Amino acid sequence: EADAETATEIVTDTIEAKTQAVLAEIEAADESLYVSLTTDDVDRAAMAVGQAHKIMNGREIPVTIFLNVEGVRLVDKTIPQNMHATGESVQDRLINFMADGGTVLVCPFCMKNVGGMTEADVIDGVLLGTPELTWGALFAEGARTLSY
């Protein structure tokens, strides 16, 4: 039981550290981008992630993609993912986006109620969209929003 408590504390501390690092990066930047992605349609989602990735790299600004409603299914590792015409799945694009420094948040309520998912179903690197993290990215000074 003590080992389980220690593991939980480590995970909680790690999530808190990631949250604080993301928020610090956004707050330090003059501008940032917040993308709300509500669909699991492969073409729309691929466009959203592609735009977010290009903007992040081209403008060198923090970019957060918030997956909500049907968009949560894009990070479900338990279901097959449709391939985009480029030969990549949107999940692959999200993984590459995160590898380059982008942040992906998933709505915990949509994850459970729309996607029928648990945290264990979510691909590595995706953070649960807590109010602190989601609102911090959305309402940051200089933040722009894009909705798909």
Side-chain angles (χ1 to χ4, degrees), residues 92-141:
D92 291 336
R93 286 181 170 218
L94 287 166
I95 290 167
N96 292 334
F97 170 76
M98 290 186 293
D100 283 350
T103 300
V104 178
L105 308 178
V106 63
C107 172
F109 301 107
C110 299
M111 185 179 76
K112 179 181 176 186
N113 298 320
V114 178
M117 301 161 54
T118 67
E119 289 180 52
D121 298 326
V122 177
I123 61 173
D124 292 340
V126 175
L127 300 172
L128 289 183
T130 63
E132 177 187 20
L133 188 50
T134 304
W135 298 343
L138 178 60
F139 298 116
E141 187 72 33

mmCIF file of all heavy atoms in Angstrom, residues 92-141:
data_model
loop_
_atom_site.group_PDB
_atom_site.id
_atom_site.type_symbol
_atom_site.label_atom_id
_atom_site.label_comp_id
_atom_site.label_asym_id
_atom_site.label_seq_id
_atom_site.Cartn_x
_atom_site.Cartn_y
_atom_site.Cartn_z
ATOM 1 N N ASP A 92 -0.565 10.067 -35.148
ATOM 2 C CA ASP A 92 0.856 10.220 -35.479
ATOM 3 C C ASP A 92 1.234 11.700 -35.528
ATOM 4 O O ASP A 92 2.304 12.093 -35.047
ATOM 5 C CB ASP A 92 1.181 9.581 -36.828
ATOM 6 C CG ASP A 92 1.084 8.065 -36.823
ATOM 7 O OD1 ASP A 92 1.218 7.451 -35.749
ATOM 8 O OD2 ASP A 92 0.849 7.494 -37.922
ATOM 9 N N ARG A 93 0.372 12.507 -36.120
ATOM 10 C CA ARG A 93 0.643 13.947 -36.202
ATOM 11 C C ARG A 93 0.699 14.580 -34.817
ATOM 12 O O ARG A 93 1.533 15.444 -34.561
ATOM 13 C CB ARG A 93 -0.411 14.647 -37.056
ATOM 14 C CG ARG A 93 -0.249 14.378 -38.530
ATOM 15 C CD ARG A 93 -1.301 15.106 -39.327
ATOM 16 N NE ARG A 93 -0.963 15.005 -40.734
ATOM 17 C CZ ARG A 93 -1.123 15.971 -41.609
ATOM 18 N NH1 ARG A 93 -1.654 17.115 -41.255
ATOM 19 N NH2 ARG A 93 -0.783 15.796 -42.865
ATOM 20 N N LEU A 94 -0.199 14.160 -33.942
ATOM 21 C CA LEU A 94 -0.198 14.688 -32.571
ATOM 22 C C LEU A 94 1.078 14.280 -31.832
ATOM 23 O O LEU A 94 1.662 15.096 -31.100
ATOM 24 C CB LEU A 94 -1.437 14.212 -31.813
ATOM 25 C CG LEU A 94 -2.741 14.875 -32.232
ATOM 26 C CD1 LEU A 94 -3.936 14.102 -31.678
ATOM 27 C CD2 LEU A 94 -2.782 16.332 -31.784
ATOM 28 N N ILE A 95 1.505 13.050 -32.020
ATOM 29 C CA ILE A 95 2.742 12.587 -31.394
ATOM 30 C C ILE A 95 3.928 13.411 -31.886
ATOM 31 O O ILE A 95 4.781 13.838 -31.093
ATOM 32 C CB ILE A 95 2.938 11.074 -31.648
ATOM 33 C CG1 ILE A 95 1.887 10.280 -30.852
ATOM 34 C CG2 ILE A 95 4.364 10.632 -31.299
ATOM 35 C CD1 ILE A 95 1.769 8.821 -31.246
ATOM 36 N N ASN A 96 4.003 13.658 -33.176
ATOM 37 C CA ASN A 96 5.086 14.480 -33.735
ATOM 38 C C ASN A 96 5.011 15.921 -33.232
ATOM 39 O O ASN A 96 6.042 16.535 -32.938
ATOM 40 C CB ASN A 96 5.041 14.455 -35.263
ATOM 41 C CG ASN A 96 5.398 13.097 -35.822
ATOM 42 O OD1 ASN A 96 6.111 12.324 -35.200
ATOM 43 N ND2 ASN A 96 4.884 12.795 -37.000
ATOM 44 N N PHE A 97 3.805 16.455 -33.129
ATOM 45 C CA PHE A 97 3.590 17.806 -32.601
ATOM 46 C C PHE A 97 4.118 17.904 -31.169
ATOM 47 O O PHE A 97 4.842 18.846 -30.824
ATOM 48 C CB PHE A 97 2.087 18.125 -32.673
ATOM 49 C CG PHE A 97 1.665 19.371 -31.969
ATOM 50 C CD1 PHE A 97 1.905 20.624 -32.526
ATOM 51 C CD2 PHE A 97 0.985 19.311 -30.760
ATOM 52 C CE1 PHE A 97 1.491 21.781 -31.877
ATOM 53 C CE2 PHE A 97 0.556 20.451 -30.111
ATOM 54 C CZ PHE A 97 0.823 21.694 -30.674
ATOM 55 N N MET A 98 3.789 16.923 -30.342
ATOM 56 C CA MET A 98 4.271 16.931 -28.959
ATOM 57 C C MET A 98 5.783 16.750 -28.896
ATOM 58 O O MET A 98 6.455 17.377 -28.071
ATOM 59 C CB MET A 98 3.556 15.853 -28.137
ATOM 60 C CG MET A 98 2.101 16.147 -27.881
ATOM 61 S SD MET A 98 1.284 14.960 -26.766
ATOM 62 C CE MET A 98 1.304 13.452 -27.765
ATOM 63 N N ALA A 99 6.331 15.914 -29.769
ATOM 64 C CA ALA A 99 7.786 15.695 -29.793
ATOM 65 C C ALA A 99 8.534 16.981 -30.118
ATOM 66 O O ALA A 99 9.663 17.180 -29.657
ATOM 67 C CB ALA A 99 8.138 14.604 -30.804
ATOM 68 N N ASP A 100 7.896 17.863 -30.881
ATOM 69 C CA ASP A 100 8.509 19.151 -31.228
ATOM 70 C C ASP A 100 8.218 20.239 -30.205
ATOM 71 O O ASP A 100 8.578 21.395 -30.418
ATOM 72 C CB ASP A 100 8.036 19.597 -32.612
ATOM 73 C CG ASP A 100 8.730 18.842 -33.735
ATOM 74 O OD1 ASP A 100 9.709 18.122 -33.459
ATOM 75 O OD2 ASP A 100 8.288 18.975 -34.895
ATOM 76 N N GLY A 101 7.537 19.894 -29.116
ATOM 77 C CA GLY A 101 7.319 20.863 -28.043
ATOM 78 C C GLY A 101 5.896 21.349 -27.877
ATOM 79 O O GLY A 101 5.631 22.176 -27.006
ATOM 80 N N GLY A 102 4.970 20.869 -28.705
ATOM 81 C CA GLY A 102 3.573 21.282 -28.567
ATOM 82 C C GLY A 102 2.902 20.595 -27.390
ATOM 83 O O GLY A 102 3.344 19.537 -26.932
ATOM 84 N N THR A 103 1.842 21.218 -26.923
ATOM 85 C CA THR A 103 1.082 20.677 -25.798
ATOM 86 C C THR A 103 -0.283 20.201 -26.293
ATOM 87 O O THR A 103 -0.962 20.930 -27.014
ATOM 88 C CB THR A 103 0.877 21.760 -24.714
ATOM 89 O OG1 THR A 103 2.153 22.193 -24.246
ATOM 90 C CG2 THR A 103 0.059 21.229 -23.542
ATOM 91 N N VAL A 104 -0.661 18.992 -25.893
ATOM 92 C CA VAL A 104 -1.979 18.453 -26.222
ATOM 93 C C VAL A 104 -2.709 18.185 -24.912
ATOM 94 O O VAL A 104 -2.198 17.481 -24.037
ATOM 95 C CB VAL A 104 -1.894 17.162 -27.059
ATOM 96 C CG1 VAL A 104 -3.287 16.606 -27.333
ATOM 97 C CG2 VAL A 104 -1.166 17.425 -28.380
ATOM 98 N N LEU A 105 -3.890 18.777 -24.805
ATOM 99 C CA LEU A 105 -4.757 18.574 -23.649
ATOM 100 C C LEU A 105 -5.994 17.812 -24.094
ATOM 101 O O LEU A 105 -6.469 18.001 -25.211
ATOM 102 C CB LEU A 105 -5.217 19.910 -23.063
ATOM 103 C CG LEU A 105 -4.155 20.952 -22.721
ATOM 104 C CD1 LEU A 105 -4.823 22.220 -22.205
ATOM 105 C CD2 LEU A 105 -3.186 20.397 -21.699
ATOM 106 N N VAL A 106 -6.541 16.994 -23.209
ATOM 107 C CA VAL A 106 -7.781 16.289 -23.499
ATOM 108 C C VAL A 106 -8.779 16.630 -22.401
ATOM 109 O O VAL A 106 -8.437 16.654 -21.222
ATOM 110 C CB VAL A 106 -7.564 14.760 -23.639
ATOM 111 C CG1 VAL A 106 -7.063 14.130 -22.359
ATOM 112 C CG2 VAL A 106 -8.819 14.063 -24.122
ATOM 113 N N CYS A 107 -10.000 16.933 -22.798
ATOM 114 C CA CYS A 107 -11.060 17.245 -21.854
ATOM 115 C C CYS A 107 -11.416 15.975 -21.078
ATOM 116 O O CYS A 107 -11.839 14.990 -21.684
ATOM 117 C CB CYS A 107 -12.287 17.777 -22.584
ATOM 118 S SG CYS A 107 -13.725 17.983 -21.508
ATOM 119 N N PRO A 108 -11.247 15.974 -19.758
ATOM 120 C CA PRO A 108 -11.523 14.756 -19.008
ATOM 121 C C PRO A 108 -13.003 14.356 -19.022
ATOM 122 O O PRO A 108 -13.326 13.171 -19.003
ATOM 123 C CB PRO A 108 -11.046 15.078 -17.586
ATOM 124 C CG PRO A 108 -10.952 16.549 -17.520
ATOM 125 C CD PRO A 108 -10.747 17.048 -18.909
ATOM 126 N N PHE A 109 -13.897 15.316 -19.069
ATOM 127 C CA PHE A 109 -15.326 15.008 -19.097
ATOM 128 C C PHE A 109 -15.729 14.414 -20.446
ATOM 129 O O PHE A 109 -16.461 13.435 -20.504
ATOM 130 C CB PHE A 109 -16.152 16.256 -18.780
ATOM 131 C CG PHE A 109 -15.832 16.831 -17.433
ATOM 132 C CD1 PHE A 109 -15.109 18.004 -17.325
ATOM 133 C CD2 PHE A 109 -16.218 16.183 -16.272
ATOM 134 C CE1 PHE A 109 -14.788 18.530 -16.082
ATOM 135 C CE2 PHE A 109 -15.903 16.697 -15.026
ATOM 136 C CZ PHE A 109 -15.184 17.874 -14.929
ATOM 137 N N CYS A 110 -15.239 15.005 -21.528
ATOM 138 C CA CYS A 110 -15.524 14.469 -22.865
ATOM 139 C C CYS A 110 -14.870 13.103 -23.047
ATOM 140 O O CYS A 110 -15.442 12.214 -23.673
ATOM 141 C CB CYS A 110 -15.027 15.431 -23.937
ATOM 142 S SG CYS A 110 -15.791 17.053 -23.884
ATOM 143 N N MET A 111 -13.668 12.962 -22.499
ATOM 144 C CA MET A 111 -12.953 11.700 -22.594
ATOM 145 C C MET A 111 -13.817 10.577 -22.020
ATOM 146 O O MET A 111 -13.967 9.526 -22.638
ATOM 147 C CB MET A 111 -11.638 11.820 -21.815
ATOM 148 C CG MET A 111 -10.734 10.641 -21.904
ATOM 149 S SD MET A 111 -9.208 10.915 -20.960
ATOM 150 C CE MET A 111 -9.825 10.689 -19.294
ATOM 151 N N LYS A 112 -14.414 10.829 -20.870
ATOM 152 C CA LYS A 112 -15.227 9.814 -20.202
ATOM 153 C C LYS A 112 -16.609 9.692 -20.842
ATOM 154 O O LYS A 112 -17.063 8.595 -21.160
ATOM 155 C CB LYS A 112 -15.371 10.171 -18.725
ATOM 156 C CG LYS A 112 -16.224 9.201 -17.947
ATOM 157 C CD LYS A 112 -16.347 9.625 -16.493
ATOM 158 C CE LYS A 112 -17.287 8.682 -15.757
ATOM 159 N NZ LYS A 112 -17.540 9.128 -14.395
ATOM 160 N N ASN A 113 -17.277 10.820 -21.045
ATOM 161 C CA ASN A 113 -18.687 10.803 -21.438
ATOM 162 C C ASN A 113 -18.926 10.679 -22.934
ATOM 163 O O ASN A 113 -19.950 10.142 -23.346
ATOM 164 C CB ASN A 113 -19.393 12.046 -20.898
ATOM 165 C CG ASN A 113 -19.373 12.085 -19.385
ATOM 166 O OD1 ASN A 113 -19.538 11.070 -18.733
ATOM 167 N ND2 ASN A 113 -19.149 13.259 -18.831
ATOM 168 N N VAL A 114 -18.027 11.169 -23.752
ATOM 169 C CA VAL A 114 -18.184 11.073 -25.203
ATOM 170 C C VAL A 114 -17.348 9.925 -25.755
ATOM 171 O O VAL A 114 -17.832 9.107 -26.525
ATOM 172 C CB VAL A 114 -17.796 12.399 -25.911
ATOM 173 C CG1 VAL A 114 -17.921 12.264 -27.423
ATOM 174 C CG2 VAL A 114 -18.645 13.552 -25.407
ATOM 175 N N GLY A 115 -16.094 9.855 -25.324
ATOM 176 C CA GLY A 115 -15.185 8.840 -25.848
ATOM 177 C C GLY A 115 -15.249 7.510 -25.129
ATOM 178 O O GLY A 115 -14.724 6.517 -25.629
ATOM 179 N N GLY A 116 -15.859 7.484 -23.936
ATOM 180 C CA GLY A 116 -15.896 6.253 -23.164
ATOM 181 C C GLY A 116 -14.497 5.789 -22.770
ATOM 182 O O GLY A 116 -14.221 4.600 -22.681
ATOM 183 N N MET A 117 -13.616 6.748 -22.514
ATOM 184 C CA MET A 117 -12.204 6.471 -22.279
ATOM 185 C C MET A 117 -11.822 6.682 -20.816
ATOM 186 O O MET A 117 -12.494 7.401 -20.091
ATOM 187 C CB MET A 117 -11.344 7.416 -23.143
ATOM 188 C CG MET A 117 -11.584 7.306 -24.627
ATOM 189 S SD MET A 117 -11.004 8.764 -25.562
ATOM 190 C CE MET A 117 -9.316 8.906 -25.057
ATOM 191 N N THR A 118 -10.699 6.075 -20.443
ATOM 192 C CA THR A 118 -10.063 6.343 -19.167
ATOM 193 C C THR A 118 -8.682 6.933 -19.458
ATOM 194 O O THR A 118 -8.222 6.915 -20.611
ATOM 195 C CB THR A 118 -9.891 5.058 -18.328
ATOM 196 O OG1 THR A 118 -8.952 4.205 -18.988
ATOM 197 C CG2 THR A 118 -11.226 4.342 -18.140
ATOM 198 N N GLU A 119 -8.005 7.397 -18.429
ATOM 199 C CA GLU A 119 -6.657 7.931 -18.612
ATOM 200 C C GLU A 119 -5.713 6.891 -19.216
ATOM 201 O O GLU A 119 -4.806 7.242 -19.967
ATOM 202 C CB GLU A 119 -6.098 8.432 -17.284
ATOM 203 C CG GLU A 119 -6.761 9.695 -16.783
ATOM 204 C CD GLU A 119 -6.179 10.162 -15.464
ATOM 205 O OE1 GLU A 119 -4.931 10.286 -15.382
ATOM 206 O OE2 GLU A 119 -6.960 10.407 -14.537
ATOM 207 N N ALA A 120 -5.939 5.629 -18.902
ATOM 208 C CA ALA A 120 -5.078 4.554 -19.423
ATOM 209 C C ALA A 120 -5.204 4.389 -20.931
ATOM 210 O O ALA A 120 -4.310 3.835 -21.573
ATOM 211 C CB ALA A 120 -5.412 3.239 -18.718
ATOM 212 N N ASP A 121 -6.294 4.891 -21.516
ATOM 213 C CA ASP A 121 -6.535 4.761 -22.957
ATOM 214 C C ASP A 121 -5.840 5.845 -23.777
ATOM 215 O O ASP A 121 -5.795 5.768 -25.003
ATOM 216 C CB ASP A 121 -8.038 4.834 -23.255
ATOM 217 C CG ASP A 121 -8.825 3.717 -22.597
ATOM 218 O OD1 ASP A 121 -8.278 2.597 -22.485
ATOM 219 O OD2 ASP A 121 -9.979 3.957 -22.205
ATOM 220 N N VAL A 122 -5.317 6.857 -23.120
ATOM 221 C CA VAL A 122 -4.768 8.039 -23.796
ATOM 222 C C VAL A 122 -3.294 7.830 -24.136
ATOM 223 O O VAL A 122 -2.520 7.326 -23.314
ATOM 224 C CB VAL A 122 -4.956 9.284 -22.902
ATOM 225 C CG1 VAL A 122 -4.335 10.521 -23.529
ATOM 226 C CG2 VAL A 122 -6.437 9.517 -22.630
ATOM 227 N N ILE A 123 -2.905 8.250 -25.338
ATOM 228 C CA ILE A 123 -1.501 8.119 -25.751
ATOM 229 C C ILE A 123 -0.597 8.924 -24.820
ATOM 230 O O ILE A 123 -1.012 9.917 -24.221
ATOM 231 C CB ILE A 123 -1.278 8.539 -27.228
ATOM 232 C CG1 ILE A 123 -1.659 10.002 -27.464
ATOM 233 C CG2 ILE A 123 -2.009 7.607 -28.168
ATOM 234 C CD1 ILE A 123 -1.314 10.525 -28.843
ATOM 235 N N ASP A 124 0.642 8.483 -24.710
ATOM 236 C CA ASP A 124 1.621 9.143 -23.848
ATOM 237 C C ASP A 124 1.847 10.587 -24.273
ATOM 238 O O ASP A 124 1.868 10.895 -25.466
ATOM 239 C CB ASP A 124 2.956 8.397 -23.883
ATOM 240 C CG ASP A 124 2.882 7.027 -23.227
ATOM 241 O OD1 ASP A 124 1.956 6.798 -22.421
ATOM 242 O OD2 ASP A 124 3.748 6.189 -23.528
ATOM 243 N N GLY A 125 2.024 11.442 -23.282
ATOM 244 C CA GLY A 125 2.349 12.838 -23.536
ATOM 245 C C GLY A 125 1.165 13.778 -23.468
ATOM 246 O O GLY A 125 1.342 14.980 -23.330
ATOM 247 N N VAL A 126 -0.040 13.246 -23.590
ATOM 248 C CA VAL A 126 -1.243 14.076 -23.543
ATOM 249 C C VAL A 126 -1.583 14.353 -22.082
ATOM 250 O O VAL A 126 -1.535 13.458 -21.241
ATOM 251 C CB VAL A 126 -2.425 13.380 -24.250
ATOM 252 C CG1 VAL A 126 -3.704 14.179 -24.104
ATOM 253 C CG2 VAL A 126 -2.094 13.152 -25.712
ATOM 254 N N LEU A 127 -1.924 15.606 -21.786
ATOM 255 C CA LEU A 127 -2.273 16.005 -20.425
ATOM 256 C C LEU A 127 -3.774 16.167 -20.283
ATOM 257 O O LEU A 127 -4.447 16.602 -21.228
ATOM 258 C CB LEU A 127 -1.599 17.331 -20.078
ATOM 259 C CG LEU A 127 -0.071 17.355 -20.142
ATOM 260 C CD1 LEU A 127 0.438 18.782 -19.958
ATOM 261 C CD2 LEU A 127 0.516 16.436 -19.088
ATOM 262 N N LEU A 128 -4.290 15.848 -19.112
ATOM 263 C CA LEU A 128 -5.702 16.118 -18.831
ATOM 264 C C LEU A 128 -5.887 17.616 -18.712
ATOM 265 O O LEU A 128 -5.097 18.302 -18.056
ATOM 266 C CB LEU A 128 -6.140 15.436 -17.535
ATOM 267 C CG LEU A 128 -6.263 13.928 -17.561
ATOM 268 C CD1 LEU A 128 -6.767 13.428 -16.221
ATOM 269 C CD2 LEU A 128 -7.178 13.456 -18.665
ATOM 270 N N GLY A 129 -6.929 18.108 -19.327
ATOM 271 C CA GLY A 129 -7.201 19.541 -19.339
ATOM 272 C C GLY A 129 -7.852 20.007 -18.055
ATOM 273 O O GLY A 129 -9.067 20.140 -17.983
ATOM 274 N N THR A 130 -7.041 20.262 -17.049
ATOM 275 C CA THR A 130 -7.550 20.830 -15.803
ATOM 276 C C THR A 130 -7.951 22.279 -16.042
ATOM 277 O O THR A 130 -7.469 22.913 -17.000
ATOM 278 C CB THR A 130 -6.474 20.792 -14.708
ATOM 279 O OG1 THR A 130 -5.374 21.624 -15.128
ATOM 280 C CG2 THR A 130 -5.982 19.379 -14.449
ATOM 281 N N PRO A 131 -8.807 22.841 -15.201
ATOM 282 C CA PRO A 131 -9.146 24.263 -15.373
ATOM 283 C C PRO A 131 -7.905 25.150 -15.375
ATOM 284 O O PRO A 131 -7.785 26.052 -16.210
ATOM 285 C CB PRO A 131 -10.056 24.565 -14.177
ATOM 286 C CG PRO A 131 -10.699 23.245 -13.880
ATOM 287 C CD PRO A 131 -9.617 22.214 -14.149
ATOM 288 N N GLU A 132 -6.971 24.896 -14.468
ATOM 289 C CA GLU A 132 -5.763 25.715 -14.393
ATOM 290 C C GLU A 132 -5.000 25.703 -15.716
ATOM 291 O O GLU A 132 -4.608 26.748 -16.238
ATOM 292 C CB GLU A 132 -4.860 25.218 -13.271
ATOM 293 C CG GLU A 132 -3.543 25.971 -13.185
ATOM 294 C CD GLU A 132 -2.576 25.375 -12.176
ATOM 295 O OE1 GLU A 132 -2.711 24.189 -11.801
ATOM 296 O OE2 GLU A 132 -1.660 26.113 -11.782
ATOM 297 N N LEU A 133 -4.826 24.538 -16.280
ATOM 298 C CA LEU A 133 -4.036 24.397 -17.499
ATOM 299 C C LEU A 133 -4.808 24.865 -18.734
ATOM 300 O O LEU A 133 -4.293 25.636 -19.552
ATOM 301 C CB LEU A 133 -3.600 22.938 -17.660
ATOM 302 C CG LEU A 133 -2.616 22.597 -18.758
ATOM 303 C CD1 LEU A 133 -1.398 23.506 -18.730
ATOM 304 C CD2 LEU A 133 -2.173 21.150 -18.618
ATOM 305 N N THR A 134 -6.055 24.430 -18.859
ATOM 306 C CA THR A 134 -6.862 24.798 -20.026
ATOM 307 C C THR A 134 -7.108 26.298 -20.070
ATOM 308 O O THR A 134 -6.888 26.947 -21.094
ATOM 309 C CB THR A 134 -8.202 24.027 -20.006
ATOM 310 O OG1 THR A 134 -7.925 22.630 -19.953
ATOM 311 C CG2 THR A 134 -9.023 24.326 -21.241
ATOM 312 N N TRP A 135 -7.567 26.844 -18.973
ATOM 313 C CA TRP A 135 -7.862 28.280 -18.943
ATOM 314 C C TRP A 135 -6.593 29.111 -18.997
ATOM 315 O O TRP A 135 -6.576 30.202 -19.573
ATOM 316 C CB TRP A 135 -8.688 28.636 -17.720
ATOM 317 C CG TRP A 135 -10.027 27.950 -17.685
ATOM 318 C CD1 TRP A 135 -10.679 27.341 -18.733
ATOM 319 C CD2 TRP A 135 -10.869 27.771 -16.555
ATOM 320 N NE1 TRP A 135 -11.871 26.803 -18.304
ATOM 321 C CE2 TRP A 135 -12.009 27.063 -16.972
ATOM 322 C CE3 TRP A 135 -10.756 28.146 -15.215
ATOM 323 C CZ2 TRP A 135 -13.040 26.722 -16.114
ATOM 324 C CZ3 TRP A 135 -11.786 27.809 -14.350
ATOM 325 C CH2 TRP A 135 -12.908 27.110 -14.792
ATOM 326 N N GLY A 136 -5.517 28.595 -18.403
ATOM 327 C CA GLY A 136 -4.246 29.305 -18.465
ATOM 328 C C GLY A 136 -3.773 29.478 -19.896
ATOM 329 O O GLY A 136 -3.274 30.539 -20.281
ATOM 330 N N ALA A 137 -3.943 28.444 -20.705
ATOM 331 C CA ALA A 137 -3.555 28.523 -22.116
ATOM 332 C C ALA A 137 -4.534 29.378 -22.914
ATOM 333 O O ALA A 137 -4.133 30.178 -23.763
ATOM 334 C CB ALA A 137 -3.468 27.121 -22.718
ATOM 335 N N LEU A 138 -5.820 29.224 -22.650
ATOM 336 C CA LEU A 138 -6.850 29.928 -23.404
ATOM 337 C C LEU A 138 -6.845 31.431 -23.139
ATOM 338 O O LEU A 138 -6.988 32.238 -24.064
ATOM 339 C CB LEU A 138 -8.226 29.347 -23.068
ATOM 340 C CG LEU A 138 -9.439 29.991 -23.719
ATOM 341 C CD1 LEU A 138 -9.362 29.907 -25.242
ATOM 342 C CD2 LEU A 138 -10.710 29.318 -23.215
ATOM 343 N N PHE A 139 -6.676 31.812 -21.886
ATOM 344 C CA PHE A 139 -6.790 33.221 -21.513
ATOM 345 C C PHE A 139 -5.467 33.919 -21.279
ATOM 346 O O PHE A 139 -5.424 35.010 -20.731
ATOM 347 C CB PHE A 139 -7.685 33.361 -20.276
ATOM 348 C CG PHE A 139 -9.089 32.892 -20.506
ATOM 349 C CD1 PHE A 139 -9.581 31.797 -19.808
ATOM 350 C CD2 PHE A 139 -9.908 33.521 -21.424
ATOM 351 C CE1 PHE A 139 -10.882 31.353 -20.010
ATOM 352 C CE2 PHE A 139 -11.205 33.089 -21.643
ATOM 353 C CZ PHE A 139 -11.696 31.988 -20.938
ATOM 354 N N ALA A 140 -4.381 33.323 -21.735
ATOM 355 C CA ALA A 140 -3.064 33.942 -21.578
ATOM 356 C C ALA A 140 -3.002 35.252 -22.356
ATOM 357 O O ALA A 140 -3.615 35.387 -23.418
ATOM 358 C CB ALA A 140 -1.972 32.996 -22.063
ATOM 359 N N GLU A 141 -2.248 36.175 -21.818
ATOM 360 C CA GLU A 141 -2.034 37.449 -22.506
ATOM 361 C C GLU A 141 -1.396 37.160 -23.873
ATOM 362 O O GLU A 141 -0.420 36.430 -23.967
ATOM 363 C CB GLU A 141 -1.100 38.331 -21.678
ATOM 364 C CG GLU A 141 -0.925 39.722 -22.200
ATOM 365 C CD GLU A 141 -2.145 40.594 -21.995
ATOM 366 O OE1 GLU A 141 -2.853 40.412 -20.989
ATOM 367 O OE2 GLU A 141 -2.398 41.461 -22.845
#
